Amino acid sequence: MNGKHILVVEDEAHLAAGIQFNLEAEGYRVTTVGDGPSALRYIAEHRNEVDLVVLDLMLPGMSGYAVCEALRAADEMMPILILSARTLSEDRTRGFDVGADQYLTKPFDLDEFLSRIKNLLAMYARRVERAAPGHKPTDCYRFGDVEIHFDRLEVHVQGRPVRMTQLEMKLLRYFVENEGRIIPRTELLERVWDLPGDLNTRAPDQFIRRLRKAIEPDPSRPRYLLTLRDAGYRFVAEPVESGGIDATGLGSRR
């Protein structure tokens, strides 16, 4: 047992049992509930005991969207993976809007599902570490073939130096410090550019394209700096390999 506790919110009993079986085979502790109110009660009664939530959208009595929004309001950091038969882009967008970290469509590939669970839990551990009192962002950060020295304003990709402006480094640091979180363009304008969030400018898009050219193996198919349509951007240090990640960060079906 690895000690991580996953709450599965799924009203189809056979699917919930299958998910529980496979997660427990990986060493996770699993609790299943069949509706939204039960999920919220369980979280309230076992606060700080659940490490991740797998959430269906089409639930009896209370939609998964409402459950996700309530869970996110109660805990800003706990990872939430929506698992749904809804495949429209507006469904995924709404899922991210209410606070989901990832969205996987049914039917799903088991290896991809388990990989996403593993990566979300690793991301959660880093979130908790960054939120700890006295924690200071590291001046050296590595992911993939990229090594960043924020104190020296230096970036190396595959061992070769890459020229970066001070503003590009500020943007990159903001993504690193908010790894895994969906960041709206308005927030980037306010926190990185010190501009009003409603300002009509393409500056974030242009700078992100430049960052992709610098750090992505294939800028046309980004793995680390993802665009989520109508939601914002997300930096992922450890992309999910199984099933693939596209430029929207939504993954591909297999």
Side-chain angles (χ1 to χ4, degrees):
M1 297 289 287
N2 61 29
K4 298 300 183 182
H5 186 190
I6 298 174
L7 176 65
V8 177
V9 189
E10 171 60 64
D11 64 321
E12 295 184 47
H14 69 284
L15 181 55
I19 292 172
Q20 181 173 7
F21 174 83
N22 283 287
L23 287 174
E24 288 180 344
E26 296 295 312
Y28 300 110
R29 292 188 298 125
V30 181
T31 299
T32 63
V33 296
D35 58 77
S38 296
L40 296 181
R41 281 196 300 273
Y42 189 88
I43 291 289
E45 294 168 3
H46 301 81
R47 192 171 297 278
N48 300 323
E49 295 180 21
V50 175
D51 298 292
L52 183 145
V53 175
V54 176
L55 177 64
D56 186 22
L57 287 180
M58 294 181 283
L59 297 168
M62 184 180 188
S63 78
Y65 294 120
V67 176
C68 185
E69 193 167 25
L71 289 174
R72 184 56 71 222
D75 190 326
E76 293 184 356
M77 294 192 297
M78 181 176 62
I80 300 172
L81 169 62
I82 286 180
L83 193 62
S84 176
R86 294 178 179 267
T87 60
L88 297 178
S89 61
E90 50 262 42
D91 294 317
R92 291 190 286 263
T93 298
R94 185 178 176 190
F96 288 120
D97 284 345
V98 295
D101 290 284
Q102 290 200 13
Y103 191 114
L104 187 62
T105 55
K106 303 174 184 176
F108 58 90
D109 179 84
L110 178 60
D111 288 338
E112 178 179 2
F113 172 70
L114 294 174
S115 181
R116 291 195 183 210
I117 293 291
K118 179 181 177 181
N119 280 278
L120 280 172
L121 287 170
M123 179 185 71
Y124 179 50
R126 290 191 292 270
R127 285 180 181 175
V128 172
E129 181 184 356
R130 288 197 299 267
H135 174 75
K136 295 181 179 180
T138 180
D139 280 325
C140 181
Y141 188 85
R142 298 178 179 85
F143 62 94
D145 294 324
V146 181
E147 181 175 314
I148 309 168
H149 294 272
F150 290 108
D151 55 336
R152 304 201 300 262
L153 299 179
E154 292 179 0
V155 175
H156 290 80
V157 179
Q158 295 182 334
R160 296 189 297 272
V162 176
R163 184 183 297 275
M164 289 273 184
T165 68
Q166 195 161 359
L167 187 52
E168 286 168 343
M169 291 293 287
K170 183 179 180 182
L171 176 61
L172 187 55
R173 182 160 198 156
Y174 195 79
F175 276 120
V176 167
E177 292 178 355
N178 290 275
E179 181 197 349
R181 188 169 69 83
I182 300 169
I183 306 174
R185 292 179 75 258
T186 55
E187 182 176 333
L188 291 178
L189 285 172
E190 292 170 355
R191 301 294 180 86
V192 178
W193 275 267
D194 298 318
L195 295 172
D198 58 357
L199 186 69
N200 185 16
T201 174
R202 303 296 296 175
D205 312 276
Q206 294 166 358
F207 271 73
I208 287 168
R209 279 198 296 270
R210 278 150 55 179
L211 287 183
R212 284 176 176 154
K213 287 181 180 179
I215 68 173
E216 295 283 359
D218 181 359
S220 66
R221 292 181 58 81
R223 302 175 69 241
Y224 304 113
L225 284 176
L226 309 179
T227 298
L228 290 94
R229 192 176 302 111
D230 300 324
Y233 303 98
R234 175 162 53 189
F235 169 67
V236 181
E238 299 177 10
V240 176
E241 299 295 343
S242 178
I245 286 289
D246 60 19
T248 65
L250 302 177
S252 60
R253 296 182 64 189
R254 298 177 63 181

